[in-house]
Amino acid sequence: MQTGAFDITALMQAGIDVTILPPVVPSGTAIGTTLQGIPVYTSLGDNQASFLGSVPQPAGSLLLNIGTGSQLSAWLPEYNPAPSAMEVRPYPGGGVLMVGAALSGGRSYALLEGFFRQLITAYTGEAPADIYSLLAQLLAEEPADGMTAGLKVNTQFLGTRADPGKRGSIEGITLDNFTPAGLSHAFLQGMIDELYGFLKDLEQQGAKGFTRLIGSGNALRSNPVLCAKAEAAFGVPLTAGAQMEEAAVGAALCAGVGSGVISSFKAAGAFLRDVCH
């Protein structure tokens, strides 16, 4: 990434013919047209596209994405080695993204949903139509304090990028807090805690001044309790972008910069419309 080029030596050692590789150019570079005359511009990574399509002001912003997987992404103006649990990725227009990816993500909550589904099916003999509405009811009726306090879920059910063999756990069980609602709250909190851990890693390396938290992904959109837990953990309000397909928006903005319709990647954020939840 420092040189902006392929590692030719490594490719040759792997037996790959380096003459098949295209030249490396910045994202948004015009590279031709379709048969219909539509201009084509070089792409950018899906993570970078989601960030570009979600975050109006990269400096000082954190992007929290929770869908099937989950990531915390932060833009920094200069290249710095990433903490061991994170990755550093180039960002179009300059700077880098520091990215922490939780492998289980929203699948952690789906795991709990499947547990309740199997239990209800075994007891009634019929598969329930919707379990997520039941979980939402449990979360609303029994807040995450009082009798449910102390229950802790580590949601690293698929391991981590640094330690693929690591597994999740449920701890702090008492005679009072091991309830369906307690488990529901603890699973959601565990998902947020893992992502918040990436921010602590960044802060330990001196990256500070994050004052905005942008949320994306279906898990955040559909679960207000999860959003509230994110706000409480990160200590700032959560802003959700109005666009549903952030990566597609980012790809369009990238083409806009390449075509000259948008003056720069830094200026692309002005084309985003935000709503606060």
Side-chain angles (χ1 to χ4, degrees), residues 132-228:
Y132 285 110
S133 61
L134 171 62
L135 295 177
Q137 179 182 340
L138 292 171
L139 291 168
E141 291 178 351
E142 191 170 340
D145 52 20
M147 293 180 62
T148 65
L151 196 62
K152 183 176 179 60
V153 175
N154 175 354
T155 56
Q156 296 173 333
F157 303 114
L158 294 175
T160 67
R161 292 185 185 273
D163 186 0
K166 194 170 185 178
R167 292 296 178 261
S169 62
I170 302 175
E171 301 177 354
I173 299 174
T174 70
L175 294 177
D176 297 319
N177 66 12
F178 193 63
T179 66
L183 274 177
S184 301
H185 278 290
F187 264 74
L188 293 181
Q189 189 64 53
M191 292 161 58
I192 295 299
D193 288 345
E194 184 173 6
L195 294 170
Y196 180 68
F198 295 129
L199 175 60
K200 301 305 291 182
D201 290 340
L202 282 176
E203 290 178 337
Q204 288 177 0
Q205 289 198 350
K208 298 184 183 299
F210 298 107
T211 58
R212 292 177 296 274
L213 182 64
I214 314 295
S216 66
N218 291 331
L220 284 172
R221 289 194 185 94
S222 61
N223 197 321
V225 176
L226 183 63
C227 293

Side-chain angles (χ1 to χ4, degrees), residues 86-111:
M86 303 184 72
E87 298 178 24
V88 57
R89 299 172 180 175
Y91 193 70
V96 297
L97 285 185
M98 292 292 189
V99 184
L103 300 184
S104 293
R107 281 176 288 189
S108 299
Y109 205 49
L111 175 66

